[in-house]
Amino acid sequence: GVLDVPARRGSIAVVSCSLDDGQRAVLESSAVKKLAQDVIFLCFGIDSLGRAQPSSAASRQAFAKETEWVSGLGYRAKVGISLGDPALVSGKPGAAARFASASFRANVASSVLEVAGYGDGVELDLRHLPDAASGDVTEVVAQIAKAVRPHETLGVLVPADGRQGDAVCVEALAVL
């Protein structure tokens, strides 16, 4: 049976741009609707030029249909964008230098604003960032916050265990 629980505010993260049949069935269930308010699609990643990928019109149209479907069920569809890359953190030189570039940060902020309209808010995935980029990561998040708010909400996903380095200064982000 299904446990009858009081309504709560929670989030469901989907690590994809689309839902499979099983995920759709779960989201349609009355029990899940009571437990979750947001569906975060961790769909987009930032490329080496600061652009959100996937960038094709067909991919973005398909993503828009997914967020519309989720919104039709009563959830808030959040656009998830990963700023980090596990491959970059594991030793590729120059990863932090990208974030030091004002033009890269401007491209990131512009790209995030471009895809923000597909949902009811933005969630930035700040995991897997190079430690040396801490100040620049805070700067790009500040640029994004300025562009996205007050029209949309902005949330961040940060390393939960604190063992993934010092690239994210939670105290600095808290005041944005």
Side-chain angles (χ1 to χ4, degrees), residues 104-120:
F104 177 80
R105 292 192 309 268
N107 286 349
V108 170
S110 174
S111 282
V112 169
L113 190 58
E114 182 182 303
V115 298
Y118 292 111
D120 303 309

Side-chain angles (χ1 to χ4, degrees), residues 48 85-99 128-133:
S48 63
D85 181 345
L88 294 178
V89 175
S90 63
K92 283 193 179 178
R98 280 190 200 153
F99 285 93
H128 310 296
L129 292 166
D131 290 349

